[in-house]
Amino acid sequence: MAKPTIPTEEYMLSGHMACLGCGAPLAMRYLLKALGKRTVVSIPACCWAVIPGVFPYTNLKVPLVYTAFEVTGASISGLRAAIDARGIKDVNVVGFAGDGGTADIGIQALSGAVERGENIIYMCYDNEAYMNTGIQRSSLTPFGAWTTTTPVGKTKFWQKTQKKNMVEIMVAHRIPYAATVSVAYPEDFINKVRKAAGIPGPKYIHAFAPCPTGWRMPPEKTIEIARLATDSCVFPIYEVEYGKYKITRKVVNKKPVADYLKMQGRFSHLGEEEMKQIQEYVDREWELLLKKEEFTKEW
Amino acid sequence: MAFKSVKDVPLGPYCHLESTLINKTGEWRNMRPVLDRSKCIRCYICWKFCPDVAIKILPDGNIEHDYEFCKGCGICANECPKKAITMVREE
Amino acid sequence: MVKKVITGNSAAAYGVKLARVQVVSAYPITPQTTVVEKLADFVANGELNARFVNVESEHSALAALISASLGGARTFTATSAHGLALMHEMMHWAAGARTPVVMVNVNRAMGPPWNIWAEMTDSIAQRDTGWIQFYGESNQEVLDTMIQLYRICEDKEVMLPGMICEDAFYLSHTVLPVDIPEQEDVDRFLPPFESAYKLDFDNPVSIGSLSMPHQWYMELRYKIAESMENARKKIVEVDREFGKIFGRSYSGLVENYRGDDADLLLICAGTMASTAKDVVDEMRNEGVKAGLLRLRVFRPFPNAEIVNLVQNAKVIGVADRSISFGNQGPFFTEIKGALYGKIPTKLLKNYIVGIGGRDVTTNTLKSIFRNMASIKDHGLDEEVTWVDLKR
Ligand SMILES: Cc1ncc(C[n+]2csc(CCOP(=O)(O)OP(=O)(O)O)c2C)c(N)n1
Ligand code: SF4
């Protein structure tokens, strides 16, 4: 009999409102397993504003403060200020927001919090669109994807921009710690959150969290697709500690991006030409990451 | 914590842990995971990846699905390295 | 007790210090800036033991304070006009989350065109957010009201945010003598803050989750309305108790200045009230029975107080330093609503004055009283007049 490879204590309960196979609850589940009960979470408008259930119930065994869509960074700054002012010790203050709440409407408050050096952990669970409002594009929706605001139509109106790189934006703030994690790799996920908790100042963790509903794929494929995202270098798993890059999940047999794209209905309209284009983009980004790792090796 | 009237409602929207466990999300299920214990090697991969925390590790080390909450997403069956879980249509 | 000759903004900063605020967050905007600058000095010099969150916008300032208040800290922000407008979403949030954040808003006109001078449109536009609203007449009142506000807002039966408004420049930047109360007296008057929400790691509570049409959103909103009603009597009680300790009080929600037997009764708020008091005296010397009611509180609205105080008036004039486009002055419509069915019909007239900081001088107010006198003799000319408009 093997032993569970992640802590067995649960801080997120069953009975929540997420769709079948949703990656977002897994991100929360792992996050709280890593941090334990002396944690306060702030959540803006996003699927996770609905997932914990309706008033007067909650499915989290930690205090949770809901906030408006664009102010997670400010909310956790205020929580930290109050906790410090009251002399309360050993509390993790965590913001937990979607890709829209992080990279679009909430980027200002996040940038402010990180620039001020607030002692917080910010986790973006990335499902690559505004899912709560019904699958509209965000600046983290990848090139080529169908969403309800980038419909394919007769004019190939699908997403025409490449995904914004939030980790790089955070690194540009000279943040002490930034990392990517994926629900496909819970052990790495938990290790990184724990590491972040031990570092003073702002920490940013970007969690890959597939949305079967919005990605137009069967719910049982969530983990498989997340794994494939990393194996194809679409979503590399790495960390940047005080500027030093480290790829924490080596990719040995790089899988074709087309394998990843073809599993999801949101890319079903793409032809060979576009797939090639995406492959080239992914390759270039991956090369760049390898070079950054190499360049900062001695730091 | 069932409130009867406005008098029972707290001052603000404070929610207690009493909890979402009242939401029997098992009712959402179309497909039911069925475990063949003889094939299970107790690796807990299914447990690890369950988004609904609906797989329990029993004191004897075996696993068990919690059908009160399992929504039937099928991740467990998909991830099981021994194909010990099959999804069958609910009646 | 120390007497200092200071601006309204400085008085506000002393209020923050005396209230032992624990978390301050604000973003600069003219004419509020000197409040936060002064507070930054206090914190920098160790005179105020507060966390100072130097946010990147007003919206974030209020968001941070709502969470800080939920975290159990006493909080303060200050803003004006565009800053307040930017906060609007979080204004609702502060009341909905039942966080007694206290704010100084320096009343300033909204652009475009840019205008940094006095007008009340900014705070009036926040009328329905669930904030208690005070309008100050003097620097002393700003300081005293700050201390009162923490008591009112943090009361277990209220638990709502509150603001005190200062007219841009007339209060914010004009120096007046101010008594700075003793810290120990303030401590006696204002106990430490206790949030209704408990940040408890053993019995965790979530705050603000989705709430459905069938249960309990409507009930939670009813609770806010109920608490606003509770605030009415608290405002009066707290003002009275403040008077006992500090020797100054402000007659609760409405100040009555020679209004009891006035034929011509003007109602207004803010600094123009102090000019109007001089004009009332002058008119009285001339034998005109003029009087003044100063609205100290706009939310909760002093309906009953106004009904009581206007009983003997022949003409009621309402001076609004703001306009609700497409209708009339906001104070005017509310006062009409308060009076309806409560007293026999009276002659009621609305004066739109001082828009964008145009001076409301003794001449302005005299012309208003003269117009009211003419209405008394000849009946209403028009319901709304823009006074001092260049025609
Ligand atoms: C100011 C504001 N604008 C718009 C909305 C509506 N809204 C709620 S959630 C949401 C999208 C959330 O997307 P994301 O942050 O990616 O999280 P997800 O729902 O995908 O988990 C939007 C647009 C809002 N709540 N507030
Ligand atoms: S819409 Fe997507 S992200 Fe939201 S709960 Fe459903 S599966 Fe999860």
Side-chain angles (χ1 to χ4, degrees):
Chain A
M1 182 172 79
K3 266 190 130 120
T5 51
I6 59 171
T8 51
E9 187 71 30
E10 301 290 352
Y11 296 92
M12 184 199 84
L13 302 182
S14 309
H16 61 67
M17 307 301 285
C19 305
L20 274 68
C22 176
L26 282 172
M28 180 63 88
R29 188 176 170 221
Y30 303 149
L31 172 79
L32 294 181
K33 277 177 185 286
L35 294 177
K37 77 173 192 181
R38 286 187 72 77
T39 300
V40 51
V41 185
S42 177
I43 299 182
C46 56
C47 276
W48 252 101
V50 178
I51 292 171
V54 299
F55 174 81
Y57 304 111
T58 174
N59 83 323
L60 294 191
K61 285 165 86 173
V62 297
L64 159 57
V65 169
Y66 290 87
T67 192
F69 194 16
E70 61 280 51
V71 286
T72 312
S75 169
I76 51 182
S77 303
L79 278 168
R80 176 54 81 193
I83 286 166
D84 286 353
R86 294 179 59 202
I88 305 171
K89 299 270 180 267
D90 306 321
V91 175
N92 302 300
V93 177
V94 183
F96 189 84
D99 46 291
T102 300
D104 294 340
I105 198 165
I107 197 168
Q108 173 179 323
L110 168 60
S111 173
V114 172
E115 171 273 324
R116 288 190 302 274
E118 306 284 358
N119 185 16
I120 48 92
I121 298 174
Y122 189 106
M123 178 170 281
C124 168
Y125 71 96
D126 183 6
N127 53 28
E128 302 193 321
Y130 300 164
M131 296 310 180
N132 175 263
T133 38
I135 326 170
Q136 295 85 27
R137 63 90 70 180
S138 79
S139 59
L140 298 197
T141 302
F143 175 90
W146 160 92
T147 68
T148 56
T149 49
T150 53
V152 179
K154 289 182 180 144
T155 62
K156 298 189 174 177
F157 197 67
W158 34 259
Q159 179 89 342
K160 290 292 160 34
T161 50
Q162 296 292 356
K163 183 173 173 132
K164 202 189 259 182
N165 190 328
M166 274 310 295
V167 171
E168 287 303 323
I169 290 171
M170 290 294 106
V171 171
H173 284 70
R174 302 299 176 250
I175 193 170
Y177 186 75
T180 61
V181 295
S182 166
V183 294
Y185 308 110
E187 296 81 5
D188 171 80
F189 192 121
I190 288 168
N191 284 342
K192 282 179 177 154
V193 173
R194 285 197 170 147
K195 182 170 187 176
I199 296 173
K203 284 81 61 176
Y204 177 84
I205 301 178
H206 197 94
F208 196 72
C211 162
T213 309
W215 294 10
R216 297 294 192 243
M217 61 174 201
E220 71 270 19
K221 296 294 181 191
T222 289
I223 301 300
E224 193 180 327
I225 199 83
R227 208 181 290 123
L228 198 45
T230 296
D231 289 346
S232 61
C233 298
V234 165
F235 191 86
I237 302 292
Y238 65 107
E239 65 183 9
V240 189
E241 200 179 343
Y242 296 107
K244 183 182 166 68
Y245 284 72
K246 187 168 172 224
I247 298 169
T248 49
R249 184 150 193 107
K250 301 287 171 225
V251 178
V252 238
N253 292 317
K254 201 167 147 199
K255 301 250 169 69
V257 175
D259 290 3
Y260 170 74
L261 300 173
K262 282 176 183 163
M263 273 177 75
Q264 303 168 59
R266 64 175 173 155
F267 295 115
S268 60
H269 50 277
L270 298 183
E272 289 303 316
E273 188 52 39
E274 287 96 18
M275 299 243 188
K276 211 174 121 231
Q277 207 180 325
I278 296 172
Q279 181 70 59
E280 280 166 13
Y281 180 78
V282 167
D283 289 346
R284 207 166 55 238
E285 288 290 307
W286 175 245
E287 279 302 308
L288 187 61
L289 183 62
L290 290 173
K291 291 216 164 81
K292 281 178 184 159
E293 188 186 38
E294 177 64 27
F295 185 75
T296 59
K297 206 165 62 187
E298 306 299 330
W299 287 23
Chain B
M1 196 195 305
F3 304 142
K4 289 202 179 62
S5 78
V6 65
K7 287 194 197 71
D8 312 323
V9 174
L11 193 66
Y14 315 128
C15 308
H16 293 266
L17 198 61
E18 270 190 40
S19 79
T20 43
L21 294 178
I22 58 148
N23 288 335
K24 305 299 179 206
T25 47
E27 288 163 15
W28 302 12
R29 198 172 53 241
N30 288 323
M31 300 297 281
R32 180 187 184 86
V34 177
L35 173 70
D36 178 349
R37 209 162 261 175
S38 67
K39 288 189 188 161
C40 171
I41 56 164
R42 304 183 198 182
C43 66
Y44 306 124
I45 287 175
C46 58
W47 166 82
K48 192 168 72 174
F49 287 127
C50 178
D52 289 288
V53 202
I55 296 174
K56 304 286 171 230
I57 301 177
L58 301 175
D60 67 2
N62 279 312
I63 63 126
E64 187 179 77
H65 283 89
D66 182 346
Y67 294 111
E68 256 193 328
F69 298 108
C70 167
K71 294 170 185 163
C73 69
I75 289 179
C76 53
N78 199 61
E79 296 307 316
C80 175
K82 294 292 162 190
K83 301 273 163 263
I85 302 169
T86 40
M87 300 303 289
V88 298
R89 189 156 287 284
E90 288 281 356
E91 296 301 290
Chain C
M1 188 159 42
V2 189
K3 211 174 193 98
K4 284 185 191 281
V5 181
I6 51 174
T7 62
N9 280 355
S10 210
Y14 276 100
V16 173
K17 190 174 142 194
L18 288 165
R20 296 192 187 276
V21 168
Q22 293 161 291
V23 181
V24 175
S25 186
Y27 191 81
I29 179 168
T30 306
Q32 153 269 31
T33 29
T34 52
V35 183
V36 264
E37 286 171 356
K38 183 88 186 161
L39 286 173
D41 281 345
F42 282 155
V43 173
N45 295 330
E47 287 176 69
L48 172 63
N49 183 18
R51 309 282 140 170
F52 195 94
V53 190
N54 256 319
V55 280
E56 76 303 326
S57 76
E58 288 87 352
H59 193 278
S60 282
L62 188 50
L65 292 186
I66 291 165
S67 292
S69 182
L70 290 170
R74 180 170 288 158
T75 56
F76 175 79
T77 190
T79 190
S80 186
H82 291 260
L84 185 60
L86 186 59
M87 283 178 178
H88 181 69
E89 181 193 27
M90 302 319 293
M91 295 291 286
H92 284 281
W93 203 282
R98 310 306 297 257
T99 51
V101 178
V102 167
M103 169 196 300
V104 164
N105 178 59
V106 185
N107 278 132
R108 160 186 157 176
M110 295 293 299
W114 286 114
N115 177 303
I116 57 171
W117 292 274
E119 197 184 303
M120 294 177 180
T121 310
D122 58 353
S123 52
I124 304 268
Q126 305 298 334
R127 187 189 65 174
D128 301 334
T129 53
W131 282 63
I132 294 169
Q133 280 197 10
F134 278 79
Y135 289 80
E137 187 192 350
S138 68
N139 296 354
Q140 183 74 60
E141 191 186 356
V142 170
L143 190 158
D144 292 346
T145 305
M146 293 260 325
I147 295 165
Q148 294 189 4
L149 254 181
Y150 280 106
R151 262 289 293 277
I152 298 159
C153 296
E154 293 172 4
D155 191 287
K156 290 276 166 290
E157 288 172 32
V158 179
M159 275 293 167
L160 287 172
M163 66 166 80
I164 160 86
C165 299
E166 309 176 89
D167 280 334
F169 299 104
Y170 298 119
L171 282 192
S172 65
H173 286 66
T174 306
V175 294
L176 288 166
V178 175
D179 282 339
I180 313 289
E182 294 296 336
Q183 183 68 58
E184 52 201 83
D185 291 338
V186 177
D187 290 345
R188 195 148 51 91
F189 178 78
L190 182 65
F193 171 54
E194 222 182 287
S195 172
Y197 166 84
K198 293 276 172 291
L199 195 64
D200 183 340
F201 299 98
D202 295 313
N203 296 296
V205 176
S206 298
I207 170 151
S209 77
L210 183 67
S211 187
M212 305 302 266
H214 66 287
Q215 57 181 29
W216 298 93
Y217 185 89
M218 189 158 168
E219 285 70 20
L220 287 163
R221 281 299 180 266
Y222 179 82
K223 293 258 166 186
I224 296 178
E226 207 173 47
S227 296
M228 262 297 178
E229 290 306 316
N230 297 340
R232 281 179 203 287
K233 67 172 190 307
K234 293 290 169 197
I235 290 169
V236 176
E237 280 170 21
V238 166
D239 189 35
R240 201 174 293 144
E241 196 189 322
F242 188 90
K244 285 203 191 105
I245 295 182
F246 301 96
R248 287 181 301 273
S249 55
Y250 299 90
S251 56
L253 291 92
V254 184
E255 182 190 350
N256 175 6
Y257 187 79
R258 306 183 79 166
D260 288 338
D261 65 340
D263 289 339
L264 313 180
L265 188 60
L266 182 66
I267 308 179
C268 67
T271 49
M272 75 169 101
S274 69
T275 318
K277 286 175 187 171
D278 284 348
V279 174
V280 165
D281 292 346
E282 259 185 68
M283 306 293 280
R284 289 271 174 173
N285 289 342
E286 289 165 20
V288 181
K289 281 163 85 179
L292 174 83
L293 299 184
R294 176 172 73 91
L295 288 182
R296 187 173 173 239
V297 179
F298 179 57
R299 278 293 177 274
F301 196 72
N303 295 293
E305 289 79 356
I306 291 173
V307 170
N308 279 336
L309 292 167
V310 302
Q311 299 284 344
N312 300 323
K314 302 229 161 59
V315 180
I316 300 165
V318 180
D320 270 288
R321 194 170 212 139
S322 62
I323 173 73
S324 175
F325 298 116
N327 201 8
Q328 303 157 329
F331 289 160
F332 184 63
T333 50
E334 300 241 351
I335 289 166
K336 274 200 295 187
L339 300 183
Y340 181 80
K342 296 287 199 301
I343 53 166
T345 312
K346 299 239 181 215
L347 290 161
L348 273 166
K349 168 87 188 226
N350 190 195
Y351 303 95
I352 306 297
V353 293
I355 297 298
R358 186 158 296 179
D359 248 350
V360 181
T361 62
T362 49
N363 281 339
T364 312
L365 292 159
K366 274 183 207 159
S367 76
I368 287 175
F369 277 113
R370 273 198 296 274
N371 179 255
M372 285 164 72
S374 137
I375 291 170
K376 179 167 123 324
D377 297 338
H378 310 293
L380 200 61
D381 46 353
E382 55 180 352
E383 207 179 5
V384 185
T385 298
W386 286 56
V387 183
D388 293 345
L389 185 76
K390 301 196 190 305
R391 289 176 202 272

